[in-house]
Amino acid sequence: MTTPDINERYVLVQDGMSMYYLIVTVKGTYNPAAANATVYANGEPMTKLNSPGWWGTTSPGPHEIAVHIRNADHTVRWDLKDPDAESARFPRTLTPEQFNERSGDDDMWFSLYSAAREPTEPTVVPVDGPWIVLQDAPLPPDAKATPTWTASLPTTLTKRGEYRHLFPGYLSGLRNHLADIIKRMPYVTGCYNQDQVLKVYMTVPLEVPEKKWVTPLTLDKRRRPKPVLREITVDRHFHLPVPDQVQGSSQADALKNWDEQVEHWTGVVESASVKACSACHGRGHVLDGAEGYIPTK
């Protein structure tokens, strides 16, 4: 079947279990994997699976999904812990407003009173469909040519490799990949993956070559000064904090993020490869786009 786009929502059906990935942003930010959230399918509570963000149900689907986010209980009053201590100063009960007035300057009130609370209604966030049902999802045709993909699979699907590209995960090896690309870029003399950064070394020429007087030795061992046009160069060195892993909600999403990372970091190196200012021999040149990555001397 056709692999869905990364923005489409899908439900994986395996051994009678319908599984949904529900870490998404709907009407604000929330995380259904958090302890204070419960997910319902057609009004029935779902089971939280071992992989974060995944929920399952054994009822046939697709379902109407709703996330219930628990809110803090509402404080209705404060009760005196020891009724025998009741007095004009310490009433048996205090309203929340009265307690706040008294406890603002003295923590003693928290040791004398306990809060009486009642639950509040949860915030209900519907996760709209439509949902695409996947009972078998083949790997992308070019999967072997992509960087190493590590997916977060529910336990029930750890041996089903045909689903991995649809799950959240990460691509690894970006720093080495970028190092190979940057080494071949103009004026780059070295690029090394060390200390969790890419260390880039460049030698760029001046904008205008200069004539310098040299006095070469001739065959008769006489030194005869003459003007020679030679290239004056300037060394540059900077560190790029390139991540080694690229995250994604699916393999396609991670590949998109991977390409964006490659474009960004090669752009930084390209901007730093501009020829040096002849007027100051490169001493006053600002590395446009790369100045934030120059090591502190």
Side-chain angles (χ1 to χ4, degrees), residues 6-190:
I6 59 173
N7 291 327
E8 292 181 319
R9 294 178 177 163
Y10 50 88
V11 51
L12 302 178
V13 180
Q14 171 72 20
D15 297 331
M17 172 76 74
S18 297
M19 290 163 282
Y20 295 80
Y21 180 60
L22 297 172
I23 296 183
V24 291
T25 300
V26 179
K27 299 178 182 178
T29 301
Y30 72 92
N31 185 349
N36 65 343
T38 306
V39 180
Y40 291 82
N42 293 350
E44 296 295 328
M46 300 179 71
T47 300
K48 185 186 296 185
L49 304 180
N50 288 348
S51 294
W54 284 91
W55 298 76
T57 178
T58 55
S59 63
H63 306 80
E64 291 186 3
I65 305 297
V67 178
H68 290 219
I69 303 174
R70 180 181 174 182
N71 293 310
D73 292 341
H74 175 64
T75 301
V76 293
R77 68 179 185 279
W78 288 84
D79 295 328
L80 192 63
K81 294 180 180 178
D82 182 3
D84 294 335
E86 181 181 358
S87 66
R89 186 184 179 191
F90 301 114
R92 183 179 294 270
T93 63
L94 292 172
T95 66
E97 293 77 13
Q98 291 171 332
F99 182 82
N100 290 337
E101 290 175 0
R102 290 165 170 77
S103 63
D105 300 325
D106 192 342
D107 292 340
M108 169 190 67
W109 295 87
F110 289 94
S111 63
L112 296 175
Y113 285 82
S114 60
R117 298 184 174 93
E118 60 183 22
T120 58
E121 292 295 322
T123 299
V124 179
V125 182
V127 184
D128 299 327
W131 297 90
I132 297 174
V133 179
L134 299 177
Q135 301 221 23
D136 190 36
L139 289 170
D142 59 347
K144 293 182 180 179
T146 63
T148 302
W149 171 246
T150 302
S152 176
L153 289 167
T155 303
T156 53
L157 292 179
T158 51
K159 296 183 180 180
R160 297 298 300 270
E162 67 270 24
Y163 289 117
R164 289 192 182 100
H165 65 291
L166 297 172
F167 284 70
Y170 61 88
L171 299 168
S172 56
L174 178 63
R175 276 201 296 269
N176 284 335
H177 176 71
L178 267 170
D180 292 338
I181 294 176
I182 292 174
K183 287 176 183 177
R184 299 192 295 268
M185 296 182 69
Y187 306 125
V188 174
T189 58

Side-chain angles (χ1 to χ4, degrees), residues 213-264:
W213 284 94
V214 298
T215 54
L217 286 173
T218 61
L219 292 177
D220 58 3
K221 297 184 179 180
R222 295 183 179 181
R223 301 176 69 86
R224 297 177 180 175
K226 64 177 181 179
V228 175
L229 187 67
R230 70 175 188 179
E231 187 176 63
I232 307 298
T233 60
V234 175
D235 292 332
R236 293 176 183 155
H237 171 211
F238 48 95
H239 295 171
L240 302 180
V242 178
D244 194 58
Q245 297 179 353
V246 178
Q247 307 287 334
S249 60
S250 67
Q251 187 175 7
D253 185 34
L255 285 170
K256 175 176 175 291
N257 296 336
W258 176 284
D259 291 340
E260 290 174 352
Q261 288 280 338
V262 171
E263 181 180 2
H264 170 75

